[in-house]
Amino acid sequence: MSGVAGTQTTGVQPATNVQGAITCCCYSASVMLSGCDLHSEAAVSPHVSFDLCGDTLNASQTYKYNNYPCNISSGGVCVNHLQELKKMATITVNGNTIDPEDTNRVSRDAKSSNFIYIQCYHDLSIDEKRQMNDMGVEIQEYVAEYTYLCRYLPEDLEQIRALSFVRTANIYEAELKSTISLKDAVEREADREEYQVDLILHTESSLDSSALAPHVADRAGVDLNELQILPNKIRLNVHQDRLQDLAALDSVNRIEEVRSKSMYNDVARGILQADALFTSTGYQGAGQIICVADTGFDQGIAEDTSEVKVHPAFTGRVERLVALWHPGNAKDPVGHGTHVSGSVCGSGTYTDSVQGKDISVKGTAPAAKLMMQSMSRYSETSKSWKFEAPAALSTLFSVPYDLGIRIHNNSWGDTWDAKTGQLGYEADATEIDKFICTHQDFVILIAAGNDADKKNHGISQIGDNSAAKNCITVGATGTTRPNDNGYYDAKVAARSGWGSTDTAVFSSRGPTKSTLDSANRAVPGRIKPDVVAPGVVILSAASRSVAAADRVRTRFGPSSDTDWLFMSGTSMATPLVAGCAALIREALHEHGKQYASAALVKALLVNGAVNYSSPPGGPGFDAEQGFGRVDIDNSIAMIRQSAFMDGGSHPQVSKYDTDALRVNAEVRRRWESPPIPFPSSGRRGLAATLVYPDPPGALLQNDVNLVVRVGEEERHGNMGAGMGFDHT
């Protein structure tokens, strides 16, 4: 069985409208979510308390340390763990590690700041959070092990420190605000002094961005008109010597370097079982609209004119075209956006003059419609087209959402920097997670990246937008199409390592960037990618705004039809999965589930996926393929069998819906699936998947653990045969 990334570390209490979804396949079984009341260590056993000297554990309580119980005699000391607990003092935020009990860091009071961090001896229980709330503490984010970033308007810190479960409380200092990657860049780049940065504001900051802007301009030594002022952040170019002055502003939560964005392009339907699905059910994504944010669409028109025709693969399928930087001009001068769109919903005929035949080419959802958000921007300086995302990423999502669109494809991300290496959880990931938390039926797909074979690639590469918890991060596998190391060649078979079950050599690997716990030990990141799909020599639509002699037309192999070309990359894998998401939504609608949460769509994709890179007998997931290659037929089968449940506050009440966990009666927290056919051969066993949207933050803010019991057997989400819990 499997859990799913973004599921399990106790933090801020969730809102009552948090939605989750569970799916189950393979054979008849009862599935119970024993962690549905938001499991925390304190809920399993009482907390640990220390006397003022820190030498004695409260003998009246028992507790767990790293999920193992410690037995304490009356008035005694837990010899095995006391010394470890006493050492558990460091805090790591934004990659910066400090000792909060260093006398130079201990705050006398909170007069100078409205934001503090509170380090506790354990993750807080509901009652402990209420105690702090009564003192005026507003928890904003779980930022490090046992550590909470809080808004606090009173000045007295001693009342907080006096609580038995609190280790220390100090103002949120400037040293923690600049990301470690920005600090490292400043230190190593001797020939550079100016940086473009984003100042990310606290939730409920003392000043909003407009009011804060004059203070930022003053401290940065720049003109106010040079600032890009957004609702939750301010973007500017600043000299490195002014960064510390900006970090001292109380409303600033963190400072990140702004990096350039890149497109991730480095027989798919059959591999994903989409052809078999169409033959048996007719699902093609009817009634669905998919928004693609990319380089543009073909010649920039949605309908034929007397002079210009729409690409034949999209006749009647283009719903809307929006150009972010050049209003009215959404053409695709690069070719990437048109190719991606074709993999989503294109349908046409490729004339193979070499083999002398016509080949039908379809995206995974050929009956769906397309909205394109063009992010190509012409640079007068370089006389070339650049790819530029908006500073406020949420604007990419809000426009299509308001138009009723519920699937959003993003085949791009931060450009790999060999000096920086893997990025952590930064601004883009924050905006993605925040948007899905507040729009819980919006499915956002992100390409994992093509950095696994780049210089200084290390073990893991997935970061920034692809590290978001609530999105669907898509990696790439190879193909059945003849190719020579990712280059289409009809004369050769697929080389070893480039086959349809192999992880593509370039596909970025997980897990997400590791963090440090309070004992300064490395904690692995969460499982990513979520799923994979074919991403090698994918044949799809060619933009007719790209010149016939442009290298993009032959970079991944020759095409004998100018309306089509080959591309490789996780950029190509992601739209195939976006199309599969449309098929799932179509099938759900047909079965009476009109409102489908993003968590449910993700759960169905993950549960149906098959991992080919995890060793036989392993847990069924890994850092290469995540939970596996999408098998849409498996996912749709669970819908047919009604083997799923969607939780939370919905505008629809159906047999597939249940209330949010916190308002659900105890008796309704147990769900029993209908009988599920057990296959006589092939894939065998039970796979249960729990997915829910987690509030923004590098660490999990809600701790929900999946426990599945079948007879005497018990399994925990993402732990294989292990009995611990996944807190990443």
Side-chain angles (χ1 to χ4, degrees):
M1 54 79 61
S2 67
V4 70
T7 342
Q8 288 107 338
T9 311
T10 303
V12 178
Q13 285 301 122
T16 57
N17 66 342
V18 167
Q19 299 165 3
I22 181 168
T23 64
C24 179
C25 74
C26 294
Y27 64 80
S28 179
S30 294
V31 179
M32 182 178 71
L33 303 185
S34 66
C36 278
D37 56 341
L38 296 180
H39 165 88
S40 69
E41 288 300 326
V44 174
S45 56
H47 65 262
V48 184
S49 61
F50 291 82
D51 66 11
L52 292 178
C53 298
D55 293 327
T56 308
L57 294 174
N58 186 330
S60 65
Q61 308 286 5
T62 59
Y63 74 107
K64 288 186 178 182
Y65 176 77
N66 284 354
N67 290 318
Y68 294 99
C70 299
N71 297 317
I72 308 166
S73 59
S74 179
V77 175
C78 179
V79 178
N80 294 330
H81 301 123
L82 178 60
Q83 292 306 313
E84 284 194 72
L85 284 165
K86 289 178 69 176
K87 293 177 184 176
M88 291 169 67
T90 60
I91 293 174
T92 300
V93 179
N94 296 321
N96 305 290
T97 301
I98 64 169
D99 178 358
E101 295 185 340
D102 180 340
T103 55
N104 294 322
R105 296 186 181 277
V106 176
S107 309
R108 182 183 299 274
D109 52 44
K111 289 181 181 179
S112 62
S113 177
N114 288 339
F115 299 93
I116 64 174
Y117 65 81
I118 301 174
Q119 186 186 43
C120 303
Y121 289 111
H122 55 263
D123 292 327
L124 296 177
S125 68
I126 295 173
D127 287 340
E128 289 163 344
K129 290 176 182 176
R130 285 177 180 147
Q131 286 185 61
M132 293 205 302
N133 185 69
D134 291 342
M135 294 178 174
V137 175
E138 301 171 25
I139 295 176
Q140 291 199 333
E141 184 180 339
Y142 186 77
V143 292
E145 187 177 34
Y146 310 145
T147 305
Y148 302 81
L149 172 62
C150 307
R151 184 170 182 261
Y152 184 64
L153 299 183
E155 298 177 359
D156 183 16
L157 291 175
E158 291 304 323
Q159 65 166 344
I160 300 173
R161 292 167 178 159
L163 295 170
S164 62
F165 50 84
V166 171
R167 178 162 196 146
T168 188
N170 290 312
I171 62 170
Y172 185 60
E173 56 191 274
E175 179 65 23
L176 295 171
K177 296 183 180 182
S178 289
T179 61
I180 196 66
S181 59
L182 174 57
K183 289 181 178 179
D184 287 347
V186 170
E187 184 174 342
R188 70 169 179 265
E189 297 175 352
D191 58 342
R192 181 184 177 195
E193 295 182 341
E194 293 282 334
Y195 290 84
Q196 186 177 43
V197 299
D198 279 338
L199 306 186
I200 313 297
L201 276 58
H202 287 293
T203 302
E204 298 184 48
S205 58
S206 306
L207 299 174
D208 64 22
S209 54
S210 296
L212 182 64
H215 301 280
V216 170
D218 180 61
R219 296 204 179 196
V222 300
D223 189 275
L224 181 62
N225 294 324
E226 296 178 28
L227 306 184
Q228 190 171 352
I229 304 169
L230 302 162
N232 65 331
K233 67 182 176 183
I234 298 174
R235 178 169 291 184
L236 72 156
N237 293 307
V238 61
H239 191 278
Q240 62 186 34
D241 293 343
R242 302 286 188 127
L243 289 171
Q244 195 64 18
D245 293 332
L246 294 174
L249 291 167
D250 194 44
S251 294
V252 173
N253 175 285
R254 66 183 185 275
I255 305 176
E256 300 177 359
E257 182 183 5
V258 177
R259 298 177 178 84
S260 62
K261 305 297 184 184
S262 296
M263 294 84 71
Y264 286 153
N265 61 315
D266 198 75
V267 187
R269 280 178 55 87
I271 294 173
L272 297 176
Q273 302 299 324
D275 280 328
L277 183 68
F278 170 64
T279 301
S280 60
T281 67
Y283 293 131
Q284 298 189 75
Q288 304 300 308
I289 305 173
I290 300 168
C291 182
V292 174
D294 216 289
T295 59
F297 173 75
D298 193 38
Q299 299 182 86
I301 59 169
E303 298 178 348
D304 291 346
T305 69
S306 58
E307 298 177 351
V308 183
K309 304 297 181 184
V310 176
H311 191 293
F314 300 96
T315 302
R317 293 183 178 86
V318 184
E319 182 77 10
R320 186 180 297 262
L321 302 176
V322 177
L324 271 64
W325 308 119
H326 302 281
N329 182 8
K331 71 178 182 180
D332 181 9
V334 179
H336 189 270
T338 306
H339 191 281
V340 166
S341 299
S343 292
V344 173
C345 62
S347 180
T349 302
Y350 170 75
T351 301
D352 189 337
S353 59
V354 176
Q355 299 185 44
K357 61 181 180 180
D358 290 341
I359 300 172
S360 176
V361 181
K362 292 183 179 181
T364 45
K369 292 193 174 182
L370 171 74
M371 173 180 175
M372 169 60 70
Q373 293 172 306
S374 172
M375 296 192 289
S376 289
R377 189 170 196 173
Y378 190 75
S379 170
E380 291 292 347
T381 303
S382 64
K383 302 299 180 182
S384 63
W385 289 94
K386 305 293 184 183
F387 184 75
E388 185 175 335
L393 200 59
S394 61
T395 60
L396 276 181
F397 310 139
S398 60
V399 172
Y401 188 88
D402 291 344
L403 292 170
I405 297 170
R406 293 298 180 264
I407 302 173
H408 197 278
N409 186 92
N410 303 270
S411 291
W412 51 272
D414 282 359
T415 303
W416 180 259
D417 178 4
K419 294 179 180 178
T420 302
Q422 184 183 20
L423 295 173
Y425 181 99
E426 298 192 356
D428 285 356
T430 299
E431 290 201 52
I432 291 167
D433 284 341
K434 182 177 181 180
F435 194 88
I436 295 176
C437 264
T438 54
H439 305 77
Q440 294 185 8
D441 58 341
F442 195 62
V443 180
I444 298 177
L445 299 101
I446 306 289
N450 303 333
D451 305 321
D453 58 352
K454 297 286 179 63
K455 183 179 179 181
N456 190 30
H457 58 74
I459 297 174
S460 305
Q461 303 84 38
I462 289 177
D464 196 30
N465 62 348
S466 58
K469 295 172 286 189
N470 301 330
C471 71
I472 300 172
T473 301
V474 183
T477 60
T479 180
T480 56
R481 180 169 282 127
N483 74 95
D484 184 0
N485 295 329
Y487 181 89
Y488 174 64
D489 187 341
K491 299 177 182 179
V492 302
R495 291 288 183 92
S496 176
W498 294 89
S500 61
T501 60
D502 298 318
T503 311
V505 173
F506 53 77
S507 183
S508 290
R509 269 64 167 176
T512 57
K513 194 168 185 176
S514 63
T515 57
L516 296 176
D517 66 12
S518 53
N520 215 29
R521 296 169 300 201
V523 178
R526 66 182 56 87
I527 299 166
K528 285 285 181 177
D530 296 301
V531 293
V532 292
V536 175
V537 289
I538 301 299
L539 180 64
S540 187
S543 170
R544 289 175 294 177
S545 292
V546 175
D550 196 302
R551 182 173 175 267
V552 72
R553 289 186 172 273
T554 57
R555 180 182 174 190
F556 296 99
S559 167
S560 58
D561 188 330
T562 57
D563 278 342
W564 305 87
L565 56 78
F566 295 100
M567 282 190 178
S568 296
T570 55
S571 277
M572 285 61 254
T574 306
L576 294 172
V577 180
C580 289
L583 302 186
I584 286 174
R585 284 179 54 86
E586 180 188 9
L588 287 168
H589 289 178
E590 183 183 275
H591 284 76
K593 176 71 168 127
Q594 297 303 313
Y595 176 99
S597 71
L600 176 58
V601 174
K602 184 175 180 179
L604 288 164
L605 284 169
V606 164
N607 193 278
V610 180
N611 183 291
Y612 293 97
S613 53
S614 180
F621 57 84
D622 61 11
E624 282 194 27
Q625 296 188 6
F627 294 96
R629 194 184 71 193
V630 169
D631 187 321
I632 191 62
D633 201 25
N634 284 346
S635 297
I636 297 293
M638 286 179 285
I639 299 175
R640 294 195 194 108
Q641 296 161 2
S642 299
F644 66 92
M645 181 62 67
D646 205 7
S649 300
H650 305 288
Q652 172 199 11
V653 177
S654 72
K655 66 179 181 179
Y656 305 110
D657 296 285
T658 187
D659 294 330
L661 298 178
R662 284 230 170 268
V663 299
N664 218 343
E666 187 70 30
V667 68
R668 294 191 64 198
R669 294 184 183 180
R670 184 180 180 97
W671 170 68
E672 184 170 328
S673 73
I676 302 173
F678 184 68
S680 58
S681 62
R683 190 185 183 208
R684 296 165 62 88
L686 173 71
T689 303
L690 169 69
V691 178
Y692 66 94
D694 197 54
L699 302 182
L700 283 177
Q701 306 301 299
N702 291 331
D703 184 27
V704 181
N705 293 299
L706 173 62
V707 177
V708 177
R709 298 189 180 103
V710 181
E712 299 300 319
E713 294 283 328
E714 179 173 305
R715 292 290 185 271
H716 296 178
N718 298 349
M719 298 304 295
M723 291 307 292
F725 290 100
D726 177 12
H727 295 291
T728 60

